[in-house]
């Protein structure tokens, strides 16, 4: 783990180590235990995180939203229709696609099952035959 990579982790995931990727967490913690500049970087990031956590959460009022939408409409902007059928139609199409894929998987599995089972049986018989030196005639009781 390098100081640059630690800085990237902190910038991407914040100062809380539990948010860092598991594969890099232990290496980052080892670097923090041995490097004063790394600990200073983490302390600075924690101060920033605390400041951001303490800041008020801003939300738009209904009046602000109405003003923004009204302004956009007065400029000639129109809401876009995302799809011909809307989001409900998209969800239905996605569900139908998944159902079709599942049915295709079942049909393919059933179709291949007989062929695979016969091949496995043949392989098993041949394997067992190669393990024994007993002649089939002796097993069947026809040898004389």
């Amino acid at each position: 783990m390098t100081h640059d990579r630690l800085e990237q982790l902190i910038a991407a995931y914040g100062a809380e180590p539990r948010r860092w990727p598991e594969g890099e967490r232990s290496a980052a913690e080892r670097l923090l235990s041995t490097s004063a500049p790394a600990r200073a970087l983490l302390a600075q990031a924690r101060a920033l995180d605390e400041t951001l956590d303490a800041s008020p959460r801003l939300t738009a009022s209904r009046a602000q939203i109405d003003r923004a939408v009204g302004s956009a409409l007065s400029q000639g902007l129109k809401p876009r229709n995302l799809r011909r059928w809307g989001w409900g139609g998209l969800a239905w199409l996605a569900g139908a696609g998944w159902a079709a894929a599942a049915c295709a998987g079942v049909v393919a599995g059933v179709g291949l099952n007989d062929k695979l089972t016969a091949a496995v049986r043949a392989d098993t018989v041949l394997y067992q035959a190669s393990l024994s030196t007993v002649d089939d005639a002796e097993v069947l009781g026809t040898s004389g």
Side-chain angles (χ1 to χ4, degrees):
M1 174 69 58
T2 64
H3 286 275
D4 288 339
R5 181 60 187 148
L6 178 64
E7 189 173 355
Q8 290 171 354
L9 284 176
I10 292 172
Y13 300 102
E16 183 59 45
R18 67 182 167 82
R19 294 184 187 145
W20 301 345
E22 282 186 41
E24 296 180 283
R25 190 178 308 150
S26 61
E29 289 173 338
R30 279 193 304 273
L31 178 63
L32 287 166
S33 68
T34 60
S35 170
R39 286 191 298 273
L41 180 66
L42 184 64
Q44 183 181 9
R46 281 195 174 130
L48 176 62
D49 282 356
E50 289 171 5
T51 302
L52 291 173
D53 288 341
S55 66
R57 305 280 183 240
L58 299 177
T59 57
S61 69
R62 188 70 205 161
Q64 290 171 324
I65 294 171
D66 290 342
R67 273 197 314 269
V69 170
S71 174
L73 292 174
S74 71
Q75 296 296 319
L77 297 175
K78 296 180 183 175
R80 283 190 281 173
N81 188 1
L82 294 176
R83 295 277 185 224
R84 186 173 133 198
W85 300 299
W87 286 111
L90 284 176
W92 183 85
L93 279 174
W98 279 106
C103 288
V106 168
V107 168
V110 168
L112 289 175
N113 190 30
D114 291 340
K115 292 180 178 93
L116 291 176
T117 303
V120 168
R121 282 188 201 143
D123 286 346
T124 302
V125 168
L126 290 173
Y127 176 72
Q128 288 174 345
S130 71
L131 292 178
S132 87
T133 58
V134 177
D135 186 18
D136 286 341
E138 292 177 23
V139 172
L140 296 173
T142 58
S143 64

